[in-house]
């Protein structure tokens, strides 16, 4: 399946596409659809296909050799990112400790290098080879978003049976559901039933 970022407003009510290249990282997290039990990263070949369709592998022809270890690393990175993005909604130290530690371990295994442009400008690009270089590029996108101040707006839905990554465009940055019509409505209904049960 092609790596398509979440739509700005889809038929399922999901909202919040991230701007620019941050949409690639959002789409990477959303390769696992918990609600529908589908996973776009189901095999090394599927990972290759996803990275190519996301244009993270255009200059990495050696990706064809991606194996099970590379797939395991990609899934591990995806879930560590999901945990960190969840902490953008639930701001508790305990909510981020494990995912952040795992993300740090993965990041420390990646390579990056500084390059100079023809005009003397400097930039950081992913190093290494194959899928690891493509995954490192996703981490560089996250680092850039942090610099731009958009990283904390990328979140995952608070609903345990959803956890879809969305970009919170609310002025107060207080969004906690990918869809107010679906996940938000369900959460409010559960809270209402719980209150009604406690008073009955």
């Amino acid at each position: 399946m092609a790596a398509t970022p979440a739509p700005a407003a889809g038929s399922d009510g999901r909202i919040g596409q991230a701007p620019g290249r941050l949409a690639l990282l959002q789409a990477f997290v959303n390769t696992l659809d918990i609600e529908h039990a589908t996973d776009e990263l189901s095999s090394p070949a599927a990972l290759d296909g996803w990275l190519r369709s996301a244009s993270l592998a255009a200059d990495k022809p050696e990706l064809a050799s991606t194996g099970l270890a590379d797939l395991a690393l990609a899934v591990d990175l995806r879930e560590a990112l999901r945990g960190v993005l969840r902490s953008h909604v639930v701001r508790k130290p305990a909510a981020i400790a494990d995912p952040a530690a795992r993300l740090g371990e993965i990041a420390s295994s990646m390579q990056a290098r500084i390059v100079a442009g023809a005009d003397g400008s400097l930039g950081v690009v992913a190093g290494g080879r194959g899928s690891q270089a493509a995954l490192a590029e996703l981490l560089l996108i996250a680092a850039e978003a942090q610099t731009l101040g958009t990283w904390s707006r990328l979140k995952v839905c608070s609903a345990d049976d959803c956890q879809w990554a969305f970009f919170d465009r609310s002025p107060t940055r207080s969004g906690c559901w990918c869809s107010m019509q679906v996940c938000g409505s369900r959460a409010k209904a559960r809270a209402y039933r719980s209150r009604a049960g406690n008073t009955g």
Side-chain angles (χ1 to χ4, degrees), residues 2-154:
T4 305
S11 58
D12 61 357
R14 286 177 172 160
I15 59 171
Q17 181 173 323
R21 284 169 52 81
L22 189 55
L24 290 176
L25 191 145
Q26 177 185 17
F28 177 68
V29 174
N30 287 339
T31 55
L32 176 65
D33 188 328
I34 293 173
E35 186 174 9
H36 297 105
T38 59
D39 191 345
E40 293 180 52
L41 307 184
S42 58
S43 68
L47 172 61
D48 285 346
W50 192 90
L51 293 173
R52 291 183 192 283
S53 66
S55 298
L56 289 168
D59 60 345
K60 301 173 180 65
E62 71 276 15
L63 271 175
S65 62
T66 297
L68 290 174
D70 300 302
L71 176 63
L73 177 65
V75 171
D76 205 9
L77 174 60
R78 179 183 68 190
E79 296 315 307
L81 285 167
R82 187 188 311 283
V84 169
L85 297 184
R86 188 163 196 173
S87 75
H88 291 174
V89 176
V90 183
R91 300 187 186 282
K92 297 178 182 175
I96 193 174
D98 291 340
R102 185 60 191 131
L103 186 60
E105 291 170 5
I106 296 170
S108 68
S109 72
M110 301 290 185
Q111 297 179 29
R113 55 193 173 87
I114 300 172
V115 296
D119 60 354
S121 60
L122 297 174
V124 180
V125 298
R129 293 176 56 81
S131 60
Q132 285 208 13
L135 296 175
E137 194 169 338
L138 286 170
L139 289 175
L140 290 176
I141 289 171
E144 179 185 41
Q146 204 156 20
T147 300
L148 294 173
T150 54
W151 180 237
S152 64
R153 285 188 179 271
L154 189 60

